Amino acid sequence: MSFVSPPDSASDPPILIVPGLYNSGPDHWQSHWERALPNAERVDQVDWERPALGDWTISLAEAVRGRPGAILVAHSLGCALVCHLAQVTGGRGVRGALLVAPADVNREGPAGRLLIGFSPIPRPRLPFPSLVVASRDDPYVAIDRAEAFARGWGSRFVDLGRAGHINVDSGHGAWPRGRLLLNELIRATAPAGA
């Protein structure tokens, strides 16, 4: 087990965990991080199984209002939610975003029908620094689509290779490499002189 050093406390912003469809279970890296980071808090949704864009956006906006200067740590559908929030609020209160395995909300099939309310995924440049992490064999987004999202959002792009949906099923428990990427984003978005 490798030790992941925390960021300097002077630049330690609030962390808002933004899960996707069905939430993130106890063994998901988002849940590990929520337990490990004292400044982390999960954005809760009323209905994790039938996502409604309006309701989910309100929940995220309220969480950001309560934790200004937050880094958003999103997975799957949570990435689309962050982009919709940026369109509605102009990114007010958000310091940066780590967008992991962004789900392609425009895809076909049963899961695609559940996500129809989030389609089309916003493509304008995000008003805050961001990092997109994607996989070459993610069943929910093709790598070229994930890279195109990152370009549109003005995000730094990290290709993890063959890493599935970057979740428990693909062997990503606490995901120490992700913590390193989060720490890089925190340092890159630190206020001048911090």
Side-chain angles (χ1 to χ4, degrees):
M1 178 170 173
S2 64
F3 174 76
V4 177
S5 61
D8 297 332
S9 59
S11 62
D12 205 8
I15 304 292
L16 288 174
I17 305 289
V18 186
L21 184 64
Y22 307 128
N23 200 354
S24 292
D27 294 325
H28 193 284
W29 59 266
Q30 285 186 311
S31 299
H32 281 279
W33 294 11
E34 182 183 10
R35 291 187 298 266
L37 298 169
N39 55 331
E41 177 182 313
R42 182 178 305 244
V43 177
D44 203 15
Q45 300 295 348
V46 174
D47 191 339
W48 288 106
E49 296 186 11
R50 288 181 297 280
L53 178 60
D55 293 344
W56 279 39
T57 303
I58 288 168
S59 295
L60 180 53
E62 288 175 352
V64 169
R65 194 168 26 257
R67 308 284 304 274
I71 297 282
L72 307 182
V73 176
H75 181 254
S76 195
L77 183 60
C79 300
L81 177 61
V82 167
C83 295
H84 281 288
L85 175 80
Q87 275 201 318
V88 172
T89 67
R92 279 186 308 280
V94 177
R95 176 166 154 178
L98 177 64
L99 306 169
V100 180
D104 190 344
V105 298
N106 302 327
R107 70 181 184 277
E108 299 296 321
R113 283 194 292 279
L114 273 174
L115 312 182
I116 194 75
F118 288 74
S119 180
I121 195 162
R123 301 290 287 275
R125 185 176 189 84
L126 292 172
F128 41 76
S130 57
L131 173 61
V132 171
V133 183
S135 161
R136 292 187 167 269
D137 60 349
D138 189 331
Y140 302 110
V141 66
I143 191 73
D144 60 330
R145 287 280 288 168
E147 194 167 8
F149 292 154
R151 273 194 310 275
W153 299 333
S155 307
R156 180 176 156 226
F157 182 72
V158 175
D159 176 348
L160 284 189
R162 298 181 65 77
H165 193 46
I166 313 173
N167 60 5
V168 175
D169 291 343
S170 59
H172 293 82
W175 193 32
R177 181 169 180 201
R179 284 283 300 277
L180 293 173
L181 292 169
L182 174 63
N183 290 348
E184 285 176 26
L185 180 63
I186 289 171
R187 283 191 298 273
T189 60

